[in-house]
Amino acid sequence: MGDSESTEYTFLEYVNMRLVMIYTEDTDFSGETPGMGDSESTDRTVRTDSTGNANYVQVTFTMGPQYQPNTLGGSDLIPLDSVRAGRGTFFDSTSLEHLCTDYTDDATFGLYSFDGDVSDFNDMVGQDCGPKSAMCASPDTVPDQFVSFNIPLGFEVFDNQASSDLSNNIFVDFVVNVVDTVARDAAGTAAPNEGGAPWQMKTTLTASIPIVDGGINIFCDGFTAKTDLKDVANVDIVVGSAADKEELTRLRILQDIASTDLDVVASSRIDTPSIESGLMTLVIKGNESYFDLVGNTGVTVELEDVITIHVMEDNGSGEDTTVAGQVLTLLRAPPDDNTNTTGLITDGYNLNGAFMFTIDRESQRAHLEPRSALTDICPFNPPRP
């Protein structure tokens, strides 16, 4: 929002301003921007790269019901050659530039050194992800008495300019040219009188808006993020059963098994002092630091699917040729990227060589399923030896 000086006599009311920044839309979230490598990536997240963002300032105001744009003799409500804008601390010391004439007449434009091709600017502003606002478009009619006028500023004008002391501002200055229809009708003529008819009125709108954090309207920004179970929960396996806490302390507990990177470990017999030594309990414990975050109230851990693989052989020698070795090879296979050229893959992707996720977006559920490479080695119904 911007404030402007008011006078005792003016036909402009409710003057407001807003700053607009538009990114180049990211359509695949691959983590890379063409020609710039992985500049848009951070750990476990992908955010649209802001490099080369297009900037403009929108000025809105209202006029009284008797005022209409003065289009006599080819005039405009807002003469484009009167439109100036600049960035600085104080109006008097800020250099203002005629950006609308540069934008409409030249192939390149931009405030100070923040210039670029007009065609590139139009491509960014015309994206479907943004408001697709017209620049420097003076309206011929104002049926609702509301005027919205957009002044293009160039590229990256707002970058690193936000300040808490209001020392960086965008200033605008332009003429508003109207006809007072009440005075015109009273005069009984619609023809101008050497440009000096009292019903032809002009005023200069001068306004400013500070560049502050949170004060810029950003369009075409995007953000994706993903996490693993080990980031939000710990998983243990308890072997055997216990009637109370004292018995539980004597059981064999395999802790934090979800944090493994599937490194090769030596197999060993799992013994436990319990009459139900063949019973294994999977325990999923939510990470308190995650579930206590603001906004996570009501979030729970739900177990969707559990698939266990039972290999009825010892390792012996030549592990790579054993069933256990083949399964480990599948489990160690890297996961597929869950994006393609059209965006996020919505029907599922391979978690590794053994399992895949099938995704139901409508119900917001993902299910774990074995891949054929695993069921070929370990079928659900093992054949007789």
Side-chain angles (χ1 to χ4, degrees):
M1 303 288 286
D3 296 327
S4 65
E5 294 293 335
S6 61
T7 62
E8 293 183 358
Y9 180 75
T10 180
F11 51 81
L12 304 182
E13 300 176 313
Y14 304 108
V15 177
N16 289 305
M17 298 175 65
R18 70 169 180 163
L19 305 177
V20 181
M21 176 185 294
I22 300 180
Y23 296 168
T24 298
E25 184 181 14
D26 192 336
T27 57
D28 61 9
F29 289 99
S30 62
E32 296 185 357
T33 299
M36 291 183 286
D38 60 354
S39 60
E40 64 184 358
S41 297
T42 57
D43 184 35
R44 294 188 178 277
T45 64
V46 178
R47 184 171 187 176
T48 303
D49 183 34
S50 64
T51 303
N53 59 82
N55 309 143
Y56 66 89
V57 56
Q58 182 184 65
V59 184
T60 62
F61 56 89
T62 62
M63 303 186 300
Q66 75 269 34
Y67 301 108
Q68 292 296 326
N70 187 353
T71 57
L72 296 172
S75 298
D76 291 310
L77 174 68
I78 302 174
L80 297 189
D81 58 1
S82 74
V83 178
R84 300 185 302 158
R87 191 189 73 190
T89 303
F90 301 105
F91 180 83
D92 291 341
S93 59
T94 298
S95 174
L96 303 182
E97 296 190 355
H98 290 81
L99 294 175
C100 276
T101 53
D102 292 344
Y103 172 81
T104 56
D105 297 342
D106 300 332
T108 61
F109 88 104
L111 186 64
Y112 312 142
S113 61
F114 303 100
D115 55 353
D117 292 343
V118 172
S119 59
D120 292 340
F121 185 90
N122 289 340
D123 287 344
M124 295 185 69
V125 172
Q127 296 176 103
D128 291 336
C129 55
K132 304 178 73 170
S133 301
M135 298 293 115
C136 300
S138 178
D140 295 330
T141 61
V142 189
D144 55 0
Q145 306 308 122
F146 177 82
V147 178
S148 176
F149 187 75
N150 301 301
I151 305 173
L153 299 177
F155 301 87
E156 301 182 347
V157 178
F158 308 141
D159 287 10
N160 304 314
Q161 295 299 313
S163 62
S164 58
D165 59 1
L166 310 184
S167 59
N168 291 326
N169 304 272
I170 295 296
F171 297 98
V172 299
D173 181 81
F174 56 82
V175 171
V176 183
N177 180 25
V178 301
V179 168
D180 184 337
T181 58
V182 174
R184 181 198 61 190
D185 295 343
T189 178
N193 180 17
E194 297 180 354
W199 42 266
Q200 296 186 73
M201 304 177 61
K202 294 186 174 109
T203 190
T204 299
L205 187 154
T206 301
S208 66
I209 182 172
I211 306 173
V212 296
D213 288 328
I216 300 173
N217 296 266
I218 300 177
F219 291 91
C220 302
D221 191 7
F223 187 89
T224 64
K226 60 182 179 180
T227 189
D228 295 331
L229 174 63
K230 61 185 178 183
D231 296 325
V232 298
N234 296 320
V235 181
D236 299 342
I237 289 182
V238 180
V239 183
S241 63
D244 51 43
K245 291 183 178 180
E246 183 179 354
E247 289 188 11
L248 181 62
T249 60
R250 298 197 295 267
L251 297 184
R252 177 72 181 273
I253 301 177
L254 305 178
Q255 295 183 321
D256 204 15
I257 62 171
S259 65
T260 176
D261 291 323
L262 298 177
D263 295 328
V264 177
V265 295
S267 62
S268 61
R269 184 183 300 276
I270 299 177
D271 294 322
T272 186
S274 169
I275 192 173
E276 295 178 308
S277 59
L279 173 67
M280 291 190 297
T281 303
L282 185 68
V283 182
I284 304 177
K285 302 173 295 182
N287 187 326
E288 183 178 359
S289 63
Y290 176 83
F291 288 90
D292 283 348
L293 291 175
V294 176
N296 285 353
T297 304
V299 176
T300 60
V301 174
E302 296 182 13
L303 183 62
E304 291 281 1
D305 306 286
V306 175
I307 299 178
T308 60
I309 303 174
H310 302 266
V311 180
M312 309 303 290
E313 67 177 18
D314 56 25
N315 280 350
S317 60
E319 180 180 319
D320 291 342
T321 63
T322 64
V323 171
Q326 295 176 61
V327 171
L328 284 174
T329 298
L330 294 176
L331 292 175
R332 294 171 188 151
D336 287 348
D337 183 7
N338 63 339
T339 61
N340 57 27
T341 56
T342 61
L344 289 173
I345 298 174
T346 59
D347 57 352
Y349 61 96
N350 294 328
L351 180 64
N352 49 41
F355 299 102
M356 72 169 294
F357 278 127
T358 58
I359 302 173
D360 185 344
R361 295 289 175 182
E362 184 174 350
S363 64
Q364 298 185 354
R365 288 286 188 266
H367 296 282
L368 186 67
E369 294 185 359
R371 300 181 63 191
S372 59
L374 177 62
T375 56
D376 288 345
I377 302 172
C378 302
F380 281 108
N381 299 306
R384 290 180 178 274

PDB file of all heavy atoms in Angstrom, residues 32-44:
ATOM      1  N   GLU A  32      16.967 -27.925 -11.245  1.00  0.00           N
ATOM      2  CA  GLU A  32      17.903 -27.222 -12.100  1.00  0.00           C
ATOM      3  C   GLU A  32      17.190 -26.159 -12.915  1.00  0.00           C
ATOM      4  O   GLU A  32      16.046 -26.329 -13.317  1.00  0.00           O
ATOM      5  CB  GLU A  32      18.611 -28.194 -13.048  1.00  0.00           C
ATOM      6  CG  GLU A  32      19.491 -29.215 -12.347  1.00  0.00           C
ATOM      7  CD  GLU A  32      20.266 -30.069 -13.330  1.00  0.00           C
ATOM      8  OE1 GLU A  32      20.052 -29.885 -14.538  1.00  0.00           O
ATOM      9  OE2 GLU A  32      21.075 -30.883 -12.886  1.00  0.00           O
ATOM     10  N   THR A  33      17.896 -25.054 -13.107  1.00  0.00           N
ATOM     11  CA  THR A  33      17.405 -23.999 -13.978  1.00  0.00           C
ATOM     12  C   THR A  33      18.243 -24.041 -15.245  1.00  0.00           C
ATOM     13  O   THR A  33      19.469 -24.092 -15.161  1.00  0.00           O
ATOM     14  CB  THR A  33      17.554 -22.630 -13.297  1.00  0.00           C
ATOM     15  OG1 THR A  33      16.772 -22.630 -12.104  1.00  0.00           O
ATOM     16  CG2 THR A  33      17.074 -21.515 -14.210  1.00  0.00           C
ATOM     17  N   PRO A  34      17.623 -24.034 -16.425  1.00  0.00           N
ATOM     18  CA  PRO A  34      18.400 -24.117 -17.664  1.00  0.00           C
ATOM     19  C   PRO A  34      19.516 -23.080 -17.713  1.00  0.00           C
ATOM     20  O   PRO A  34      19.282 -21.891 -17.530  1.00  0.00           O
ATOM     21  CB  PRO A  34      17.342 -23.848 -18.747  1.00  0.00           C
ATOM     22  CG  PRO A  34      16.060 -24.303 -18.131  1.00  0.00           C
ATOM     23  CD  PRO A  34      16.180 -23.975 -16.673  1.00  0.00           C
ATOM     24  N   GLY A  35      20.735 -23.581 -17.919  1.00  0.00           N
ATOM     25  CA  GLY A  35      21.886 -22.701 -18.022  1.00  0.00           C
ATOM     26  C   GLY A  35      22.494 -22.290 -16.702  1.00  0.00           C
ATOM     27  O   GLY A  35      23.525 -21.625 -16.674  1.00  0.00           O
ATOM     28  N   MET A  36      21.868 -22.686 -15.565  1.00  0.00           N
ATOM     29  CA  MET A  36      22.383 -22.264 -14.262  1.00  0.00           C
ATOM     30  C   MET A  36      22.576 -23.432 -13.303  1.00  0.00           C
ATOM     31  O   MET A  36      22.727 -23.242 -12.115  1.00  0.00           O
ATOM     32  CB  MET A  36      21.454 -21.218 -13.641  1.00  0.00           C
ATOM     33  CG  MET A  36      21.463 -19.891 -14.370  1.00  0.00           C
ATOM     34  SD  MET A  36      20.439 -18.644 -13.573  1.00  0.00           S
ATOM     35  CE  MET A  36      18.822 -19.238 -14.002  1.00  0.00           C
ATOM     36  N   GLY A  37      22.516 -24.662 -13.795  1.00  0.00           N
ATOM     37  CA  GLY A  37      22.774 -25.822 -12.952  1.00  0.00           C
ATOM     38  C   GLY A  37      21.737 -25.990 -11.871  1.00  0.00           C
ATOM     39  O   GLY A  37      20.542 -25.834 -12.112  1.00  0.00           O
ATOM     40  N   ASP A  38      22.202 -26.288 -10.649  1.00  0.00           N
ATOM     41  CA  ASP A  38      21.279 -26.592  -9.551  1.00  0.00           C
ATOM     42  C   ASP A  38      21.039 -25.381  -8.665  1.00  0.00           C
ATOM     43  O   ASP A  38      20.925 -25.493  -7.455  1.00  0.00           O
ATOM     44  CB  ASP A  38      21.799 -27.762  -8.720  1.00  0.00           C
ATOM     45  CG  ASP A  38      23.163 -27.476  -8.108  1.00  0.00           C
ATOM     46  OD1 ASP A  38      23.733 -26.415  -8.436  1.00  0.00           O
ATOM     47  OD2 ASP A  38      23.640 -28.305  -7.323  1.00  0.00           O
ATOM     48  N   SER A  39      20.942 -24.190  -9.265  1.00  0.00           N
ATOM     49  CA  SER A  39      20.849 -22.956  -8.477  1.00  0.00           C
ATOM     50  C   SER A  39      19.559 -22.839  -7.682  1.00  0.00           C
ATOM     51  O   SER A  39      19.466 -22.046  -6.767  1.00  0.00           O
ATOM     52  CB  SER A  39      20.977 -21.739  -9.391  1.00  0.00           C
ATOM     53  OG  SER A  39      19.942 -21.742 -10.359  1.00  0.00           O
ATOM     54  N   GLU A  40      18.533 -23.616  -8.023  1.00  0.00           N
ATOM     55  CA  GLU A  40      17.259 -23.477  -7.324  1.00  0.00           C
ATOM     56  C   GLU A  40      17.088 -24.495  -6.208  1.00  0.00           C
ATOM     57  O   GLU A  40      16.042 -24.557  -5.578  1.00  0.00           O
ATOM     58  CB  GLU A  40      16.103 -23.621  -8.315  1.00  0.00           C
ATOM     59  CG  GLU A  40      16.024 -24.999  -8.948  1.00  0.00           C
ATOM     60  CD  GLU A  40      14.927 -25.087  -9.993  1.00  0.00           C
ATOM     61  OE1 GLU A  40      14.216 -24.113 -10.196  1.00  0.00           O
ATOM     62  OE2 GLU A  40      14.793 -26.152 -10.598  1.00  0.00           O
ATOM     63  N   SER A  41      18.092 -25.315  -5.949  1.00  0.00           N
ATOM     64  CA  SER A  41      17.921 -26.424  -5.017  1.00  0.00           C
ATOM     65  C   SER A  41      18.444 -26.093  -3.630  1.00  0.00           C
ATOM     66  O   SER A  41      19.419 -25.377  -3.461  1.00  0.00           O
ATOM     67  CB  SER A  41      18.662 -27.672  -5.528  1.00  0.00           C
ATOM     68  OG  SER A  41      18.119 -28.107  -6.739  1.00  0.00           O
ATOM     69  N   THR A  42      17.764 -26.643  -2.627  1.00  0.00           N
ATOM     70  CA  THR A  42      18.290 -26.710  -1.276  1.00  0.00           C
ATOM     71  C   THR A  42      18.033 -28.124  -0.783  1.00  0.00           C
ATOM     72  O   THR A  42      17.457 -28.945  -1.491  1.00  0.00           O
ATOM     73  CB  THR A  42      17.591 -25.692  -0.343  1.00  0.00           C
ATOM     74  OG1 THR A  42      16.180 -25.936  -0.349  1.00  0.00           O
ATOM     75  CG2 THR A  42      17.852 -24.264  -0.804  1.00  0.00           C
ATOM     76  N   ASP A  43      18.481 -28.428   0.431  1.00  0.00           N
ATOM     77  CA  ASP A  43      18.379 -29.792   0.931  1.00  0.00           C
ATOM     78  C   ASP A  43      16.927 -30.235   1.035  1.00  0.00           C
ATOM     79  O   ASP A  43      16.123 -29.617   1.732  1.00  0.00           O
ATOM     80  CB  ASP A  43      19.040 -29.873   2.318  1.00  0.00           C
ATOM     81  CG  ASP A  43      19.064 -31.288   2.848  1.00  0.00           C
ATOM     82  OD1 ASP A  43      19.228 -32.210   2.036  1.00  0.00           O
ATOM     83  OD2 ASP A  43      18.922 -31.453   4.069  1.00  0.00           O
ATOM     84  N   ARG A  44      16.574 -31.299   0.278  1.00  0.00           N
ATOM     85  CA  ARG A  44      15.251 -31.909   0.307  1.00  0.00           C
ATOM     86  C   ARG A  44      14.143 -30.974  -0.176  1.00  0.00           C
ATOM     87  O   ARG A  44      12.967 -31.247   0.015  1.00  0.00           O
ATOM     88  CB  ARG A  44      14.904 -32.440   1.705  1.00  0.00           C
ATOM     89  CG  ARG A  44      15.777 -33.597   2.131  1.00  0.00           C
ATOM     90  CD  ARG A  44      15.271 -34.200   3.431  1.00  0.00           C
ATOM     91  NE  ARG A  44      16.091 -35.326   3.799  1.00  0.00           N
ATOM     92  CZ  ARG A  44      15.958 -36.556   3.332  1.00  0.00           C
ATOM     93  NH1 ARG A  44      15.002 -36.818   2.470  1.00  0.00           N
ATOM     94  NH2 ARG A  44      16.747 -37.527   3.714  1.00  0.00           N
TER      95      ARG A  44
END
